[in-house]
Amino acid sequence: QAQLVELGGGSVKVGGSLRLSCATPGYTYNCMGWFRQAPGKEREGVAQIYTAGGDTYYADSVKGRFAISLDSAKNTVYLQMNSLTPEDTAMYYCAASSYEGRWPRAKFRYWGQGTQVTVSS
């Protein structure tokens, strides 16, 4: 069973920044993604990166504010989140190893435990 270790969630004021990280010790996967789910809402894809070519994809709601990146040496993917708004409040999940489809409908094998991001005014 793959291990995805998520760090970096927390509480921040509107306009603030947070950086999430997701480590996959010992493994490199073809694709990594970040998803989020707010209370009462469906899970949505936030960002995705293909490790081979570095192609990245973003939800329209986060374009220009969030950035996904990969440190291959550390087997770690990051999500830098800037200009946060209360609408970004959600549980954020890291996902690894897509096996079907591509953004925004890629399906992933492995999931992290989630990290809470709360943005307050």
Side-chain angles (χ1 to χ4, degrees), residues 51-69:
T51 56
D55 291 345
T56 57
Y57 299 87
Y58 297 94
D60 288 343
S61 58
V62 307
K63 280 181 182 176
R65 301 188 298 121
F66 290 13
I68 188 170
S69 61

Side-chain angles (χ1 to χ4, degrees), residues 24-110:
T24 59
Y27 292 92
T28 299
Y29 297 103
N30 65 326
C31 182
M32 302 284 292
W34 286 98
F35 292 75
R36 67 185 180 186
Q37 188 167 20
K41 295 186 177 181
E42 293 187 355
R43 185 179 66 194
E44 64 171 341
V46 176
Q48 186 173 304
I49 184 167
Y50 286 90
T51 56
D55 291 345
T56 57
Y57 299 87
Y58 297 94
D60 288 343
S61 58
V62 307
K63 280 181 182 176
R65 301 188 298 121
F66 290 13
I68 188 170
S69 61
L70 175 69
D71 186 333
S72 298
K74 296 181 179 180
N75 289 322
T76 299
V77 65
Y78 301 95
L79 184 68
Q80 178 66 44
M81 306 185 294
N82 300 325
S83 302
L84 286 162
T85 73
E87 288 68 39
D88 295 315
T89 295
M91 185 71 79
Y92 284 69
Y93 298 91
C94 174
S97 184
S98 70
Y99 63 91
E100 184 178 320
R102 292 184 66 85
W103 175 269
R105 284 173 286 280
K107 296 181 181 180
F108 289 84
R109 287 187 176 87
Y110 307 118

